[in-house]
Amino acid sequence: MANVNLAIIYYSSTGTNYKMAKWAEEAAKEAGAEVRVLKVPELAPQEAIESNPAWKAHVEATKDVPTVTHNDLEWADAIIFSVPTRFGNVPSQLKQFLDTTGGLWFQGKLANKVVSAMASASNAHGGQEQTILQLYTTMYHWGAIVVAPGYTDPSIFAAGGNPYGTSVTVDQNGNMIEDAEAAVKHQAKRTVQVAQWVKAGLAQ
């Protein structure tokens, strides 16, 4: 099968989506992919970060994680996004980055990327599904190929049963309520598998 380049692009203020990104990285590497875990640029003012100890600690802990660039998008055959919800939409940090991709889109360099997405919120109906769907709307404009997990593995039910992408609820102590690790790993392997099919097909 064709070797797949996978970019896992995340935004995380206190670490949930970073943890999900790392689970996805582990599974994707097991599936044979070349993986880059990348964070989007932080837009929040330093004083806001400093005012939240968990946020400050996570920023410091991930200071060496590379920041995503347009070159990473060109390199990638597949992309997995992992983000918290913000009022049922993607965080402004990710939206700002996506809004800079018009040049690549115009040149057709984002077409046929295989993409999938994951999300988190602090309550069970906090907009996780809507956030993933909002992100997929942008992907449709790219001409990307969206790979949703659907109900293709029992692990999806243990993680709350979101067919659009793995999503989690985070309690006040920053812990995920759902048992989501297996679902994240299944989604990552599924994304890599479909990207292998697409890449092999495009090469013919």
Side-chain angles (χ1 to χ4, degrees):
M1 294 293 285
N3 187 49
V4 167
N5 295 334
L6 172 67
I8 302 174
I9 300 172
Y10 78 94
Y11 176 73
S12 193
S13 54
T14 57
T16 299
N17 287 279
Y18 176 66
K19 180 179 284 188
M20 293 168 71
K22 295 298 285 183
W23 284 340
E25 176 189 29
E26 182 182 339
K29 285 182 174 178
E30 288 177 3
E34 183 75 25
V35 184
R36 295 179 185 177
V37 175
L38 306 155
K39 62 189 176 188
V40 295
E42 181 59 83
L43 303 178
Q46 189 62 34
E47 55 265 28
I49 298 171
E50 296 281 345
S51 70
N52 183 328
W55 194 353
K56 180 181 178 182
H58 179 66
V59 168
E60 179 63 24
T62 56
K63 65 181 187 297
D64 295 330
V65 176
T67 300
V68 66
T69 69
H70 290 176
N71 288 338
D72 294 312
L73 295 182
E74 287 197 65
W75 168 85
D77 303 303
I79 303 167
I80 295 174
F81 295 94
S82 188
V83 295
T85 185
R86 293 290 186 265
F87 300 111
N89 212 320
V90 298
S92 58
Q93 290 86 348
L94 177 61
K95 183 64 165 63
Q96 193 276 339
F97 175 70
L98 293 176
D99 286 347
T100 70
T101 62
L104 292 176
W105 165 82
F106 183 77
Q107 297 171 62
K109 292 183 176 179
L110 301 175
N112 299 322
K113 302 291 183 183
V114 172
V115 300
S116 199
M118 308 182 291
S120 67
S122 59
N123 52 72
H125 300 285
Q128 294 96 322
E129 293 181 4
Q130 186 65 16
T131 295
I132 291 172
L133 294 173
Q134 293 282 15
L135 178 56
Y136 287 165
T137 297
T138 299
M139 298 300 101
Y140 299 139
H141 282 258
W142 279 12
I145 298 166
V146 171
V147 178
Y151 297 108
T152 55
D153 190 79
S155 63
I156 293 159
F157 293 97
N162 187 344
Y164 311 115
T166 307
S167 64
V168 298
T169 312
V170 183
D171 67 18
Q172 295 302 307
N173 296 315
N175 300 311
M176 297 183 209
I177 293 173
E178 297 86 0
D179 181 9
E181 182 175 355
V184 169
K185 290 181 174 180
H186 169 72
Q187 185 172 348
K189 288 180 177 180
R190 176 172 163 81
T191 303
V192 170
Q193 182 180 51
V194 173
Q196 288 173 332
W197 297 338
V198 171
K199 190 170 183 178
L202 290 170
Q204 290 181 355

